[in-house]
Amino acid sequence: MSDAKFFQRGKIQELRMELNSDKKDRNHTRKKATLKKIVANMTMGNDMSSLYPDVVTCMAIPVLEVKKMVYLFLINYAKSKPEMALEAIPTFRRDVEDPNPLIRALAIRTMGYIHVEKVTMCLLQPLRHCMRDQDPYVRKTAAVCVAKLFMQDRHLVENAGFIDLLREMLVDSNPSVVANAIAALTEISERSDHIQLKLNMSLASKLVTALNECSEWGQTYILESLMFVVPQDPGDAEMLAERIAPRLQHANSAVVLTAVKVIVYLMNYMAKDEDIASMCKKLSPPLVTLLSSGPEVQYVGLRNILLVIQKHPDILKNDIKIFFCKYNDPIYVKMAKLEIMFRLASESNVEQVLSELKEYATEVDVDFVRKAVRSIGRLAVKIESTAQRCVEALLDLIQTKVNYVVQESIVVIKDIFRKYPNRYESIISVLCENLDNLDEPEAKAAMIWIIGQYADRIENSDELLDDFLYTFLEETVEVQLALLTATVKLFIKRPTAGQDLVPKVLKWATEEVDNPDLRDRGYIYWRLLSTDVAAAKAVVLAEKPHISTETDNMDPVLLEELLLHIASLSAIYHKAPTTFIPHCKPRFLIPSPALRRQYYGRSQLIHQDSYVSIQSGQTSSSSKNGSSSKGEDEQNGDTIPSEPHHQRLSYHEQSFDQVAEASIGNQKYYDLKIAAENPYRTDTPSAASASNGNKGSVGDLMSFDL
Amino acid sequence: MISALFIYNQKGEVLISRLYRQDLKRSIADVFRIQVISNTDVRSPIITLGSTSFFHVRHENLYIVAITKWNANAALVFEFCYRVINIGRSYFGKLDEDAVKANFVLIYELLDEVLDFGYPQNSEADTLKMYITTESVKSERAIMEESSKITIQATGATSWRRSDVRYRKNEAFVDVVESVNLLLSTQGNVLRADVAGQILMRAYLSGTPECKFGLNDRLLLEKDAVNRSTGGTQKRSPNTVEIDDCQFHQCVKLGKFDSDRTISFIPPDGEFELMRYRTSDNINLPFKVHPVVNEIGKSKIEYKIIVKANFSSKLYANNVVLSIPTPLNAAGVTCMVSAGKAKYVPAENAMVWKISRFQGQSEFMLTGEVTLTAMTHKKAWSRPPISMDFQVLMFTSSGLLVRFLKVFEKSNYKSVKWVRYMTKAGNYQIRF
């Protein structure tokens, strides 16, 4: 029988009449039908809360289907009608004592969803019983219920002994109970100021044993919790990783990616390079297999692969072909693949990569084509031997005259000029043929930079600049800055050609424009030129710093943090979770005698007695407590004291203080960091635009740093 | 974890709305409708606004949407969405707008069961069907009478199988289904060729059978060979397959596979996917395609496409379809084929050539001519690749074979096993 007929807007009055009608109602079919209409209306977003007195009376009907619908109604409206929830309490009380475990579990589960203080109070006692219920189904439901309770009233949970009960459940004989208990503890630990989950090796080992019998979701929860094991000995890390490795073969990608996360984490605590290498070997095939899942999971996999290969470049280095785009891949998969292709490109495969990129540059999607063109340019900068072919490819693309392709090409050609001076300037004439179609600031600025830089080689550079200057006041700051500098370069290189233009531009920049960067730069040039032309020449035409694709690499501190979040949203966005999730605890590598100290390329073990003592004090306390150490007052779970030993986590010696701050989770540090680094942030428009402005001209600005 | 789950139809109407956490209100449903469903250019399956993240999967005419305010495990959220679709299929045959509307109360019941506080719980359709059924009376009775059996099933180590399964005739069917992916460059070089295989099983076996499954897996067989003949240089046996990677249904004992590469399991009752695998070594491509496409001036394109079946002449392929792209400004298309039927489909900008039965080793040709209208803008034609679809029975591109399937059960019954092979086109693309 189809329920579709109930899916229509109902009038409250009519529904009430139907519920209360005295007509014969055999098997309660009429009541059931009316409740279905109410549920349908709830779904459609119509407010049904005023029906509560009538709905609550239906609780007396001894039909499970009716009960479930009434409970759904309660969950939906209890918050806005707390008095309704009170009327349901007697039924709940009866149900939690029911001999049938499914009914007991249903009552506990539903009560946990109802955020009304009186209901919560009634829940406490039965919940304690249920956590020790003889039926595993009730116990696993009760475990999750503690997490629900925690979201309502964390002090209640922390002080009423529920944490200890949950901890007991970690050694339950039933794998589902263990998995749900660990999921609840993990969530509580992530949200609490006072509770921090820590697993010692013996407990971790028990959990890993439970992995074999758990449902796929349970396996994910257990793996997730293993991130809170801090191996004290490299052998522990290796053993644990070995035991987790079979999960990489699981059909569920959540299990696979979470296992990858734990293994990558544990590698930080392994001693022997060959162990790490052999683990890396095991990681490659399952990561590739993720690409045969649905497109959404492929996307998640690709974004995470991009992180993993930055830390362990050996993984997947021979598998580049897997990342070639299929014509009908969704755009988000294509974009993610393109980035990985660029990362994996090397001398040995660059030919294939380049021919793929050329193919992509002729496709339809504008963003994808742009990214492909840009990748060709970056490839030239990354791998010198291929630069010539990349430049030829870009020239071919410019010949297509497709506007955005031309503009994108010019932007990257500028970088190629900077990387390989005096090699490809012969193509300038081709670029100059395409001046008229430039309408994007970045492309314009790049072209203007090229004209300024080669003012003495381009015969009519003064005319070209003059053309651009025609609209100076309407241009974006990025273009204006480029024009200003290019004009000064022209003047220094060819004084006669530039003498008419310079005063005009300087006057505009200093008098007509509001942007402080532009104005200040205008004044600096003006004064330099008027006091000492030789000095001006030294400044403006100074040797440029080298560029390389190293600048594309992620900040190692951020990368390290993101690797602790593999599979999560933050690893997809490549942003620390603290930047977009409020009240989120930052993660970092917790020092232990086994933690590897890592420099770029070189690695060694650290042996530092000073903090072993602190650490061992903590371990003993946490092992005594079993899993989670509940601290008193301010003893914050993750405040492993901010002693200097945090520095050992650092990747480059200069950023000691940054790392220390990141480690103790200083929110301010992140705020500053986002403001400085995150051009996508929209809530501080001025900051964003200013930093963008700077970015466009960073190459030239550097020459001022004498 | 997941804070809310919504199912929308294509118009953006909410068909199912279930909140699991108090950090969201139902009005969040409107945000997704505005940001994604009404948006013509959606470029990601995940969007985050503020701290609220929306995950969506499209299926039939539905959007399955999970919302979280936490740094959730994205793989888990998507896998769960896929699972919702699977449960729906298992219950209703297919999950589309009509099915959701016709069963919305049942879907709410299921959602209450499979997701608790946003944490996915047991979601094996076979177990769920023990106590949540389309006939409410039946489930009511089951819950009253068999509650302890249900709870043990739903939380136990073999949550995917009931213990009381009985069949008069014990049978197991194994289907090896391979999707072969190919990307051929303009010059005719293989850019990538790999096989994504699935082993599907339909098990109609009584009791709690322990199964052992064997493939011509090179790693396993070579190890055996080494064990048997110590010393001596071992040759690569020609009839083995090198599996790059494989993944198993949760019934397979992964620890055992990890230690000695044996595949042993207690199967769920009925149909399930036992394993997925991937190979990229020595792929037998079932079809070779030689396209010759010449643009003659700006007004004409000539096509000559030759396709040859590369498998044994005793076998044949079904439902072979080639889709040969034509430019957007195609005005007139004529094509001739030596077998099957070909016609121009303007909506797809392609000539579609269908051959319903294609004998092994045979070769067919299409010749075509496309006239073009003049275009105002001069963007070059992007030449999308030719794509191909087909099915070949009793053929595996990887060369994979099932060596044995052994069934052990307490009562020692005899069982009959069947195996079938099929290769179909995955992404079979030829650039020209």
Side-chain angles (χ1 to χ4, degrees):
Chain A
M1 191 184 68
S2 165
D3 289 345
K5 59 178 179 293
F6 301 120
F7 233 88
Q8 50 185 310
R9 186 170 286 269
K11 289 208 179 80
I12 299 243
Q13 206 49 43
E14 284 170 16
L15 291 170
R16 176 171 290 145
M17 297 263 285
E18 282 178 44
L19 269 188
N20 294 331
S21 96
D22 296 327
K23 278 191 203 148
K24 248 203 212 145
D25 192 7
R26 227 159 49 110
N27 298 334
H28 311 284
T29 30
R30 195 191 310 280
K31 283 239 164 55
K32 258 194 248 173
T34 314
L35 282 170
K36 282 183 181 178
K37 280 185 203 163
I38 294 173
V39 171
N41 273 283
M42 253 162 46
T43 303
M44 291 186 276
N46 304 332
D47 186 7
M48 293 281 120
S49 60
S50 57
L51 280 173
Y52 84 89
D54 315 276
V55 173
V56 170
T57 50
C58 293
M59 280 183 103
I61 298 171
V63 175
L64 199 57
E65 199 185 1
V66 172
K67 191 192 284 288
K68 284 185 174 173
M69 282 193 279
V70 175
Y71 280 178
L72 192 64
F73 185 89
L74 282 175
I75 294 169
N76 253 310
Y77 294 121
K79 215 171 180 185
S80 56
K81 301 268 188 237
E83 60 278 19
M84 150 178 89
L86 300 186
E87 288 181 40
I89 288 177
T91 316
F92 282 133
R93 282 214 165 115
R94 204 169 341 109
D95 281 0
V96 291
E97 304 283 336
D98 198 283
N100 188 325
L102 290 166
I103 307 282
R104 289 202 296 278
L106 180 65
I108 285 283
R109 188 162 68 213
T110 311
M111 283 172 92
Y113 282 125
I114 295 174
H115 283 214
V116 174
E117 209 190 332
K118 284 241 173 69
V119 176
T120 309
M121 288 304 148
C122 289
L123 174 64
L124 294 182
Q125 202 45 41
L127 180 58
R128 272 198 204 97
H129 281 295
C130 287
M131 288 176 83
R132 290 179 165 153
D133 198 287
Q134 52 169 356
D135 193 287
Y137 185 84
V138 180
R139 291 202 300 275
K140 72 130 194 164
T141 310
V144 175
C145 200
V146 176
K148 290 182 194 166
L149 203 58
F150 181 83
M151 294 294 274
Q152 285 180 58
D153 189 343
R154 45 186 67 195
H155 299 293
L156 196 70
V157 171
E158 284 168 17
N159 302 325
F162 282 111
I163 301 294
D164 289 322
L165 282 170
L166 272 183
R167 203 181 296 150
E168 281 171 25
M169 292 173 118
L170 294 183
V171 290
D172 198 288
S173 58
N174 186 292
S176 293
V177 178
V178 175
N180 274 5
I182 198 71
L185 274 174
T186 310
E187 168 143 12
I188 290 171
S189 155
E190 290 283 78
R191 292 184 187 268
S192 168
D193 299 329
H194 308 291
I195 297 168
Q196 176 62 42
L197 183 63
K198 275 191 195 139
L199 301 176
N200 58 26
M201 275 310 287
S202 78
L203 191 65
S205 174
K206 279 191 190 117
L207 288 173
V208 173
T209 313
L211 269 183
N212 293 322
E213 306 194 324
C214 270
S215 78
E216 50 208 317
W217 316 115
Q219 295 187 21
T220 315
Y221 308 147
I222 289 179
L223 288 168
E224 200 74 60
S225 75
L226 295 178
M227 294 300 284
F228 297 95
V229 178
V230 183
Q232 300 299 310
D233 175 77
D236 288 350
E238 285 149 26
M239 194 269 288
L240 207 52
E242 277 299 330
R243 290 185 61 193
I244 293 166
R247 300 296 126 198
L248 296 172
Q249 244 80 50
H250 203 285
N252 187 316
S253 66
V255 177
V256 175
L257 266 178
T258 316
V260 169
K261 163 158 71 181
V262 180
I263 290 172
V264 169
Y265 163 71
L266 289 172
M267 282 182 192
N268 290 304
Y269 295 90
M270 291 183 190
K272 286 183 247 140
D273 287 338
E274 60 266 29
D275 287 336
I276 294 181
S278 90
M279 269 299 154
C280 283
K281 241 185 224 145
K282 285 193 180 176
L283 290 181
S284 298
L287 285 174
V288 174
T289 301
L290 290 177
L291 297 186
S292 42
S293 301
E296 294 84 6
V297 167
Q298 283 186 44
Y299 175 66
V300 174
L302 289 166
R303 296 295 289 171
N304 282 290
I305 287 170
L306 192 54
L307 290 176
V308 175
I309 58 175
Q310 287 186 58
K311 166 91 182 189
H312 299 284
D314 280 349
I315 296 177
L316 298 172
K317 72 172 177 211
N318 298 322
D319 290 309
I320 193 163
K321 281 186 176 183
I322 303 291
F323 299 101
F324 289 174
C325 299
K326 296 173 192 158
Y327 189 77
N328 41 2
D329 276 336
I331 182 67
Y332 49 84
V333 169
K334 283 186 177 174
M335 296 292 248
K337 280 184 174 173
L338 206 49
E339 273 183 55
I340 295 175
M341 281 172 66
F342 173 72
R343 289 259 164 225
L344 293 177
S346 64
E347 293 278 356
S348 60
N349 57 27
V350 68
E351 196 132 348
Q352 283 178 324
V353 175
L354 183 61
S355 78
E356 277 298 299
L357 291 174
K358 283 199 274 192
E359 194 74 33
Y360 304 158
T362 62
E363 282 196 19
V364 187
D365 189 281
V366 176
D367 285 347
F368 182 60
V369 170
R370 280 173 182 272
K371 202 169 177 123
V373 175
R374 196 163 282 226
S375 301
I376 296 177
R378 286 164 73 202
L379 210 55
V381 176
K382 181 178 175 179
I383 302 169
E384 185 163 355
S385 64
T386 195
Q388 178 67 39
R389 267 170 299 159
C390 290
V391 170
E392 285 163 14
L394 289 170
L395 280 180
D396 285 346
L397 288 169
I398 289 175
Q399 300 302 343
T400 63
K401 305 277 181 193
V402 177
N403 195 357
Y404 53 85
V405 174
V406 174
Q407 307 211 42
E408 206 63 46
S409 306
I410 288 177
V411 172
V412 284
I413 285 175
K414 178 197 121 174
D415 287 340
I416 297 177
F417 282 168
R418 271 201 59 185
K419 170 83 180 185
Y420 308 111
N422 302 320
R423 220 184 283 179
Y424 301 112
E425 281 76 3
S426 55
I427 65 171
I428 289 176
S429 58
V430 182
L431 303 185
C432 291
E433 288 164 20
N434 292 288
L435 290 184
D436 297 341
N437 296 324
L438 300 185
D439 52 9
E440 289 162 23
E442 201 182 358
K444 267 192 191 172
M447 191 63 220
I448 291 164
W449 182 89
I450 293 171
I451 297 173
Q453 191 64 19
Y454 300 102
D456 44 347
R457 299 199 198 181
I458 305 170
E459 257 173 54
N460 57 345
S461 53
D462 50 335
E463 288 167 33
L464 294 175
L465 275 180
D466 199 22
D467 277 351
F468 276 113
L469 284 172
Y470 195 68
T471 51
F472 182 86
L473 291 173
E474 285 101 67
E475 298 292 354
T476 62
V477 177
E478 185 183 4
V479 180
Q480 288 174 329
L481 284 167
L483 272 172
L484 174 61
T485 307
T487 317
V488 173
K489 281 180 186 163
L490 170 74
F491 175 70
I492 289 173
K493 289 182 174 179
R494 296 169 58 194
T496 43
Q499 63 188 357
D500 294 338
L501 300 181
V502 165
K504 193 163 71 179
V505 175
L506 288 179
K507 202 166 153 56
W508 277 334
T510 51
E511 290 174 15
E512 307 263 339
V513 176
D514 292 333
N515 184 289
D517 282 346
L518 186 62
R519 208 172 49 215
D520 286 356
R521 200 190 287 188
Y523 277 124
I524 292 172
Y525 284 143
W526 200 323
R527 285 183 196 140
L528 266 173
L529 292 173
S530 52
T531 42
D532 186 351
V533 179
K537 189 170 179 174
V539 170
V540 177
L541 301 181
E543 183 88 3
K544 304 270 179 302
H546 274 292
I547 59 163
S548 71
T549 48
E550 291 292 306
T551 48
D552 298 330
N553 288 350
M554 195 176 270
D555 169 16
V557 179
L558 177 65
L559 175 63
E560 205 54 59
E561 188 182 357
L562 292 179
L563 285 170
L564 301 175
H565 292 283
I566 288 177
S568 77
L569 275 176
S570 119
I572 288 170
Y573 291 128
H574 295 182
K575 279 186 192 176
T578 34
T579 59
F580 65 101
I581 306 281
H583 316 298
C584 176
K585 277 190 194 173
R587 284 190 188 174
F588 52 95
L589 284 173
I590 296 176
S592 95
L595 182 61
R596 289 166 76 94
R597 182 179 193 173
Q598 309 188 20
Y599 300 95
Y600 298 107
R602 213 150 47 91
S603 51
Q604 65 186 86
L605 265 175
I606 25 158
H607 294 290
Q608 208 79 52
D609 300 333
S610 62
Y611 72 85
V612 170
S613 56
I614 307 173
Q615 199 52 35
S616 63
Q618 289 221 343
T619 358
S620 65
S621 80
S622 69
S623 57
K624 222 183 291 163
N625 287 349
S627 62
S628 57
S629 63
K630 202 178 95 187
E632 282 96 41
D633 356 298
E634 280 309 295
Q635 212 257 330
N636 204 337
D638 56 359
T639 45
I640 289 163
S642 58
E643 305 288 323
H645 65 250
H646 277 295
Q647 291 166 359
R648 278 177 218 105
L649 288 169
S650 142
Y651 283 76
H652 24 192
E653 302 292 325
Q654 307 97 314
S655 62
F656 273 169
D657 44 356
Q658 276 196 0
V659 178
E661 274 185 289
S663 305
I664 50 172
N666 187 333
Q667 188 63 43
K668 226 183 245 162
Y669 160 73
Y670 280 107
D671 289 342
L672 286 174
K673 215 166 128 188
I674 318 158
E677 289 180 2
N678 185 353
Y680 305 106
R681 240 165 97 112
T682 47
D683 49 352
T684 52
S686 59
S689 69
S691 73
N692 273 342
N694 285 338
K695 224 171 82 189
S697 57
V698 80
D700 281 76
L701 270 179
M702 276 181 187
S703 8
F704 290 109
D705 288 334
L706 280 177
Chain B
M1 272 302 124
I2 299 170
S3 286
L5 195 108
F6 290 101
I7 298 180
Y8 297 83
N9 65 8
Q10 256 168 338
K11 281 186 263 170
E13 290 163 353
V14 178
L15 304 180
I16 292 289
S17 107
R18 175 70 211 258
L19 304 184
Y20 291 92
R21 294 187 172 220
Q22 303 282 328
D23 52 8
L24 287 178
K25 294 211 179 78
R26 192 199 171 278
S27 53
I28 199 79
D30 302 329
V31 178
F32 180 80
R33 175 170 47 240
I34 294 160
Q35 294 290 338
V36 178
I37 300 182
S38 342
N39 188 341
T40 49
D41 190 30
V42 178
R43 306 185 75 88
S44 168
I46 311 174
I47 59 162
T48 298
L49 303 165
S51 57
T52 310
S53 304
F54 302 79
F55 296 73
H56 75 271
V57 172
R58 298 192 66 170
H59 177 75
E60 303 274 354
N61 46 9
L62 299 173
Y63 287 84
I64 320 287
V65 183
I67 307 179
T68 175
K69 297 203 67 145
W70 194 242
N71 186 26
N73 186 322
L76 179 125
V77 176
F78 281 129
E79 287 284 352
F80 180 74
C81 293
Y82 294 165
R83 183 59 54 88
V84 169
I85 294 167
N86 275 337
I87 295 174
R89 275 200 198 132
S90 166
Y91 266 86
F92 319 124
K94 71 182 203 178
L95 189 72
D96 58 6
E97 183 175 351
D98 292 337
V100 172
K101 276 189 166 166
N103 299 285
F104 69 97
V105 177
L106 181 72
I107 291 175
Y108 276 120
E109 256 185 79
L110 285 168
L111 284 179
D112 193 50
E113 186 60 40
V114 296
L115 207 53
D116 191 6
F117 200 45
Y119 287 100
Q121 304 290 314
N122 169 47
S123 49
E124 292 297 320
D126 203 36
T127 307
L128 290 170
K129 280 179 182 169
M130 287 172 73
Y131 58 108
I132 300 176
T133 63
T134 41
E135 301 151 68
S136 59
V137 187
K138 200 169 134 198
S139 44
E140 207 106 351
R141 192 176 315 130
I143 288 169
M144 293 309 157
E145 288 165 11
E146 302 180 344
S147 62
S148 61
K149 207 156 138 198
I150 294 169
T151 58
I152 285 166
Q153 180 69 38
T155 60
T158 46
S159 60
W160 53 84
R161 188 180 178 90
R162 286 181 281 141
S163 54
D164 57 350
V165 184
R166 285 281 167 272
Y167 288 100
R168 279 237 323 260
K169 193 175 172 193
N170 290 292
E171 281 182 305
F173 299 87
V174 177
D175 275 294
V176 179
V177 181
E178 296 200 336
S179 297
V180 51
N181 298 310
L182 170 75
L183 188 59
L184 210 61
S185 78
T186 324
Q187 290 79 32
N189 302 324
V190 176
L191 289 175
R192 54 172 290 201
D194 54 66
V195 167
Q198 276 178 305
I199 296 186
L200 303 172
M201 200 166 155
R202 277 171 298 151
Y204 305 115
L205 300 167
S206 312
T208 312
E210 284 257 15
C211 298
K212 259 188 150 184
F213 186 64
L215 298 169
N216 56 342
D217 170 11
R218 179 170 298 160
L219 262 172
L220 175 68
L221 295 177
E222 268 174 13
K223 207 168 60 190
D224 285 358
V226 171
N227 287 347
R228 250 177 271 135
S229 61
T230 42
T233 48
Q234 35 151 337
K235 275 183 289 177
R236 284 200 157 179
S237 27
N239 293 324
T240 57
V241 168
E242 189 173 324
I243 293 175
D244 291 359
D245 187 36
C246 44
Q247 290 181 312
F248 296 102
H249 185 271
Q250 60 167 323
C251 66
V252 176
K253 292 169 184 139
L254 294 178
K256 206 141 169 39
F257 181 77
D258 197 55
S259 58
D260 57 11
R261 275 186 97 84
T262 53
I263 303 168
S264 63
F265 56 97
I266 298 170
D269 188 37
E271 188 173 351
F272 69 104
E273 184 190 79
L274 176 65
M275 72 181 276
R276 259 182 272 164
Y277 60 91
R278 205 157 47 68
T279 69
S280 51
D281 192 40
N282 269 327
I283 307 287
N284 305 316
L285 294 173
F287 287 98
K288 289 252 160 82
V289 181
H290 292 286
V292 182
V293 179
N294 287 320
E295 294 184 42
I296 298 166
K298 280 184 177 170
S299 60
K300 204 164 98 176
I301 301 182
E302 282 180 358
Y303 290 81
K304 191 170 142 197
I305 316 284
I306 299 168
V307 55
K308 183 174 184 215
N310 213 19
F311 43 87
S312 149
S313 57
K314 288 177 192 144
L315 304 175
Y316 58 89
N318 287 324
N319 304 327
V320 179
V321 181
L322 279 97
S323 171
I324 302 148
T326 55
L328 293 172
N329 57 336
V333 178
T334 52
C335 47
M336 304 235 298
V337 288
S338 58
K341 278 181 185 164
K343 68 172 178 194
Y344 172 58
V345 182
E348 292 172 25
N349 286 309
M351 289 181 272
V352 177
W353 179 16
K354 291 184 181 166
I355 305 160
S356 53
R357 194 182 152 106
F358 201 129
Q359 182 110 26
Q361 298 301 326
S362 49
E363 184 179 289
F364 299 117
M365 185 165 78
L366 171 145
T367 46
E369 200 177 274
V370 174
T371 50
L372 306 174
T373 55
M375 296 268 271
T376 45
H377 63 276
K378 53 196 165 189
K379 190 179 179 216
W381 177 36
S382 69
R383 289 196 174 210
I386 294 173
S387 59
M388 202 173 169
D389 199 15
F390 52 77
Q391 290 170 353
V392 190
L393 280 172
M394 299 319 277
F395 171 83
T396 52
S397 267
S398 64
L400 182 114
L401 291 169
V402 176
R403 289 175 54 233
F404 59 82
L405 171 65
K406 295 175 187 157
V407 179
F408 306 95
E409 218 273 338
K410 285 193 298 265
S411 61
N412 238 337
Y413 55 72
K414 276 230 169 73
S415 51
V416 187
K417 298 123 196 166
W418 306 88
V419 63
R420 194 164 59 164
Y421 302 92
M422 184 172 79
T423 292
K424 57 180 186 179
N427 259 289
Y428 209 82
Q429 300 186 330
I430 299 105
R431 291 179 183 162
F432 59 90

